[in-house]
């Protein structure tokens, strides 16, 4: 062992060679040893098998976890705490496995040789945990963080750094390949240049920085750690624009600023146009006709699609596919056209061109647009309809690029007259808009939805499945229905006659339209919000939209602008069918069918609007439930709608402390009363990762509107501003209760709010005159004032009362169980339906002040210490009959 030494330069060079060659040599050597051993066993039957022992070196001798692991796998061990003891173990009759606590001390340099098996404590303890034998390896193996990983390097120029990384990969169980192949699992790249990088991008192989290896080595003693863990690995991805310096030409200032920010986020740098240090010049090819300078050979002049494509796939795209080419000048085009017309066959080409133009002229005689502009068309455009054929991407296509349906339509079985009826022209426009609409829906599906749903995307999925579902909703169902409508309209126009029924086409699909449209229209606002949020939070999705929206199929329209088409389509169809009906004779059977079709489409739109209103109302109720802590579950009901929300301050102590901030949620049949929370809980996080704001309000009671007997409009004075009161009588109370409030916001106005409240109370109790529920009262008659609500003394008094209540609850020895209290209230309290509740001044005169009302007690089996507790339980119980 005296010839053993540390790594020399020759050994360093050997590490750079493909380790698969060395692995094969080791395997052959091992097989040769096994063969020789078996041959010697056959020759000498008395030869005994070689014993394997573990030699613990240095501090490994005192590692109790390591000693326990060796006991578990029943492996005998010898301790060598010093180099002298290690030297005494040279001539042994057993195979030695050396376990070193660290691969940096002199003992490691002494033992580092292919003839010795050197292991680290983590790999021994891992084998003991898995109940596996110790691995056979000719290289030092410290841990298993990179077991079964095949790495390849590119772009590194410093030999010492490369040797260091290769050594660490071997120590963690990884394998090195010199050439890139399908077996490589990770590419370690210093730059984004080179063939290995391009192949790795095309194959979807993770491309990582060198820091990934170093950070993995720092966690070498963690038995649970794996370097291939996605969360750990993603932190060391090579950004698309690493070692790239970009400049942008031809873009608006705002867009250029946005692209420069994205460049920095993706690991690159940006400089002004013309700087010699730039590696890429990104050009807006639609606005730039010529470059301001002659680019050097080292400068990549690319289109903006290269920039967004690199961000989308999270890797630098190849420049060859996105090179910018100068547009041909008009003079050159003219010379080329003159050259082509001066050929010997120019006369034949001119004759063919005249025939083509004549045919095109005949085709344009059957234009879908009548010679005059109709009022319905003007009205349709005023609604913001985007379905005019002149505004669609298909309007710019040449006749050869039109869809098959359009070419099929031109092949009429009978000669088409030069002049058609107004009914035919409107029907033709209906077909044209339907064809354009189907093409737009197809663009949404093919250009946006399907690529986002595609499996095996470079860089991983761009959006989560639930986000894709939220954005596109029922677009496939809408597309399928309108494809069938388009085919029926196409057959109708091919076999046209004045007796053909246009209305029957839409009448036959009215049920399908009812099923397909509401799920999309109801959640369209949520779809737009999802697109905006994802575009801000996910650069890859932003890049995906930039690339897709630059395609000619989109007609320079954004995804949100395309998704609004289904919202606009049905009103546009109703207008066109109304125009067809106007040009249909009274004796034509299609006139009655058109009326039925129009009514059916209006019913579909009414159903959509009603469903949308219900959906929005249900969403608002859910928002209330989430905002109010302790809100009763029976608030959720299909017939219940949120009417208005009012911010107030309590002027009485019936429900809560005077001066407490109270929020009133008015529903069509009940009133939810909640106070502001003094201590806000932590935010709620859903399983999908969305964080919901914490509940900011605390539930007090849910009061049916039928329990409100009178609404008092308190007269405005210097001591009482924006105040009103509710005279309430719960079923379990024999006396009226007075609840006073002060509006704190400018909206709504007090009179308007009281009218809305009384109208819904009247609807609930089936009373025609809602004005009779409002009474005017002076502040003195009901003992209400707002003068000292914001004073320091008032706030201090409220704080003292809260503290006193907390102390009383803590030290109370006579706590009445809640269930017992509720039962006692139910048994003892009987509502008196004949109690006088009258309007006008007579009612006000009989009404006691709030302080008098607070001191009243109804007969009970037990003594209730607080009227608030009694009324709180009363209101909670009285809401059980709401649903």
């Amino acid at each position: 062992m005296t010839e053993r030494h540390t790594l020399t330069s020759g050994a360093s060079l050997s590490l750079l060679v493909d380790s698969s060659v060395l692995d094969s040599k080791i395997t052959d050597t091992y097989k040769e040893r096994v063969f020789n051993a078996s041959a010697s066993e056959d020759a000498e039957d008395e030869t005994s098998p070689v014993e394997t022992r573990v030699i613990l070196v240095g501090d490994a001798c005192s590692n109790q976890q390591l000693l326990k692991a060796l006991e578990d796998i029943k492996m005998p061990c010898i301790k060598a705490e010093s180099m002298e003891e290690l030297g005494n173990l040279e001539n042994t009759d057993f195979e030695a496995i050396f376990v070193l606590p660290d691969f940096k001390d002199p003992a490691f340099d002494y033992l580092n040789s292919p003839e010795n098996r050197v292991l680290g404590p983590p790999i021994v303890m891992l084998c003991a945990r898995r109940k596996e034998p110790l691995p056979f390896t000719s290289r030092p193996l410290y841990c298993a963080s990179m077991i079964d990983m095949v790495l390849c390097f590119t772009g590194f120029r410093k030999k010492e750094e490369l040797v260091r990384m290769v050594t660490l990969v071997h120590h963690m169980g990884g394998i090195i390949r010199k050439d890139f192949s399908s077996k490589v699992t990770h590419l370690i790249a210093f730059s984004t240049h080179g063939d290995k990088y391009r192949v790795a991008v095309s194959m979807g192989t993770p491309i990582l920085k060198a820091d990934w290896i170093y950070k993995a080595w720092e966690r070498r003693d963690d038995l649970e750690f794996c370097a291939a863990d996605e969360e750990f690995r993603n932190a060391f991805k090579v950004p698309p624009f690493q070692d790239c310096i970009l400049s942008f030409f031809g873009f608006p200032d705002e867009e250029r600023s946005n692209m420069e920010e994205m460049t920095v986020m993706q690991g690159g740098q940006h400089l002004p146009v013309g700087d010699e240090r730039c590696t890429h010049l990104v050009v807006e090819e639609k606005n730039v006709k010529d470059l301001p300078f002659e680019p050097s050979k080292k400068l990549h002049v690319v289109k903006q699609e290269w920039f967004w494509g690199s961000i989308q796939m999270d890797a630098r795209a190849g420049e060859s596919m996105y090179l910018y080419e100068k547009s041909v000048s008009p003079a050159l085009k003219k010379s080329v056209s003159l050259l082509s017309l001066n050929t010997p066959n120019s006369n034949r080409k001119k004759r063919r061109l005249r025939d083509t133009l004549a045919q095109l002229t005949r085709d344009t005689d059957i234009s879908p647009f009548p010679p005059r502009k109709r009022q319905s068309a003007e009205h349709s455009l005023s609604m913001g309809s985007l379905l005019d054929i002149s505004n669609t991407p298909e309007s710019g296509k040449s006749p050869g690029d039109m869809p098959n349906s359009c070419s099929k339509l031109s092949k009429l079985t009978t000669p088409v007259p030069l002049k058609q009826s107004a009914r035919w022209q409107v029907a033709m426009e209906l077909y044209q808009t339907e064809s354009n609409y189907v093409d737009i829906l197809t663009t949404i599906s093919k250009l946006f939805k399907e690529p986002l749903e595609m499996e095996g995307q470079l860089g991983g999925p761009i959006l989560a499945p639930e986000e894709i579902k939220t954005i596109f909703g029922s677009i496939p169902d809408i597309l399928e229905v309108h494809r069938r409508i388009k085919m029926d309209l196409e057959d109708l126009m091919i076999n046209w006659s004045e007796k053909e029924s246009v209305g029957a086409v839409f009448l036959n699909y009215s049920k399908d339209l009812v099923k397909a449209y509401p799920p999309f229209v109801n959640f369209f606002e949520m779809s737009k919000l999802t697109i905006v949020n994802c575009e801000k939070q996910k650069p890859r999705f932003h890049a995906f939209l930039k690339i897709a929206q630059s395609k000619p199929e989109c007609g320079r329209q954004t995804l949100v602008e395309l998704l609004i088409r289904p919202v606009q389509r049905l009103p546009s169809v109703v207008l066109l069918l109304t125009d067809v009906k106007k040009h249909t004779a009274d004796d034509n059977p299609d006139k009655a069918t058109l009326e039925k079709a129009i009514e059916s489409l209006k019913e579909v739109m009414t159903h959509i609007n009603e469903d949308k209103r219900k959906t929005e109302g249900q969403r608002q109720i859910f928002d209330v439930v989430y905002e109010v802590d302790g809100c009763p579950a029976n608030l959720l009901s299909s017939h219940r709608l949120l009417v208005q929300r009012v911010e107030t301050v309590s002027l009485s102590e019936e429900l809560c402390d005077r001066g407490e901030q109270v929020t009133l949620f008015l529903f069509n049949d009940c009133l939810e009363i909640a106070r502001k929370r003094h201590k806000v809980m932590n935010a709620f996080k859903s399983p999908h990762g969305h964080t919901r704001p914490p509940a900011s309000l605390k539930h007090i009671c849910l009061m049916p509107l039928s329990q409100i007997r009178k609404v008092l409009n308190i007269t405005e004075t210097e001591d009482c501003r924006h105040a009103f009161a509710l005279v309430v009588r719960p079923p379990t109370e024999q006396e009226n209760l007075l609840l006073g409030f002060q509006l704190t916001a400018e909206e709504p106005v007090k009179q308007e709010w009281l009218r809305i409240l009384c109208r819904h109370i009247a609807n609930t109790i089936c009373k025609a005159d809602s004005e009779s529920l409002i009474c005017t009262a002076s502040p003195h008659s009901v003992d209400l004032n707002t003068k000292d609500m914001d004073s320091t003394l008032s706030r201090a008094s409220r704080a003292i009362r809260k503290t006193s209540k907390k102390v009383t609850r803590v030290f109370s020895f006579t706590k009445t169980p809640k269930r017992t209290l509720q039962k006692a209230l139910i048994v003892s309290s009987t509502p008196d339906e004949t109690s006088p509740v009258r309007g006008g001044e007579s009612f006000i005169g009989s009404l006691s002040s709030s302080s008098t009302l607070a001191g009243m007690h109804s007969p009970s089996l037990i003594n209730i210490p607080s009227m608030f507790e009694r009324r709180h339980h009363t209101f909670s119980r009285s809401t059980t009959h709401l649903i």
Side-chain angles (χ1 to χ4, degrees), residues 355-518:
D355 295 340
T356 303
L357 293 176
Q359 179 64 31
L360 291 175
T361 304
R362 287 195 297 271
D363 290 344
T364 54
D365 287 339
I366 56 173
S367 169
F369 300 100
R372 60 183 179 86
K373 182 178 289 187
R374 297 174 288 105
Q375 295 181 357
S376 62
E378 294 176 355
H379 182 61
S380 176
L381 289 176
S382 66
M383 294 176 59
S385 174
L386 303 177
L387 293 171
D388 190 352
I389 188 173
S390 61
N391 292 334
T392 58
E394 289 73 28
S395 61
K397 292 183 179 180
S398 61
D401 296 335
M402 294 298 289
N404 295 332
S405 58
C406 298
S407 60
K408 178 180 177 181
L409 186 61
S410 63
K411 298 178 181 179
L412 299 177
T413 55
T414 57
V416 179
L418 295 179
K419 292 185 179 181
Q420 288 287 356
S421 64
R423 172 179 161 86
W424 181 92
Q425 292 177 351
V426 179
M428 186 65 181
E429 182 178 354
L430 178 62
Y431 166 75
Q432 290 283 4
T433 57
E434 186 68 21
S435 178
N436 291 336
Y437 180 56
V438 171
D439 291 340
I440 290 169
L441 294 178
T442 305
T443 298
I444 295 173
S445 181
K446 298 292 184 183
L447 205 60
F448 293 94
K449 183 175 182 293
E450 293 181 5
L452 289 173
E453 293 176 335
M454 186 183 304
E455 296 182 359
Q457 301 177 35
L458 291 176
I462 297 176
L463 293 181
E466 57 269 18
E467 292 172 332
I468 299 175
K469 180 64 177 177
T470 302
I471 291 174
F472 297 100
S474 59
I475 284 291
D477 299 332
I478 298 175
L479 175 58
E480 181 60 29
V481 173
H482 282 275
R483 273 177 177 167
R484 298 200 299 266
I485 294 176
K486 174 189 171 183
M487 292 175 62
D488 291 352
L489 287 175
E490 184 177 303
D491 294 338
L492 182 143
M493 298 307 297
I494 291 176
N495 305 303
W496 174 260
S497 69
E498 292 297 325
K499 300 298 182 181
E500 290 290 338
S501 179
V502 180
V505 175
F506 289 91
L507 192 61
N508 294 336
Y509 293 100
S510 60
K511 294 182 179 179
D512 296 328
L513 294 174
V514 171
K515 293 179 181 179
Y517 270 92

Side-chain angles (χ1 to χ4, degrees), residues 83 142 148 170 282 370 417 431 460 476 535 562 707 735 757 798:
M83 294 290 294
Y142 188 87
D148 298 330
H170 286 157
V282 183
Y431 166 75
E535 194 171 3
L562 293 175
Q707 294 182 7
E735 298 293 338
L757 176 60
R798 290 197 297 268

Side-chain angles (χ1 to χ4, degrees), residues 836-848:
V837 179
R838 299 175 183 177
E841 296 299 327
S842 60
F843 173 80
I844 299 303
S846 63
L847 183 66
S848 302

Side-chain angles (χ1 to χ4, degrees), residues 568-588:
Q568 299 172 335
R569 180 55 185 164
L570 292 184
S572 176
V573 172
V574 170
L575 292 175
L576 288 170
L577 289 180
T578 303
D579 213 356
V580 174
K581 174 189 169 185
K582 184 174 68 175
H583 294 91
T584 302
D586 294 338
D587 58 348
N588 193 326

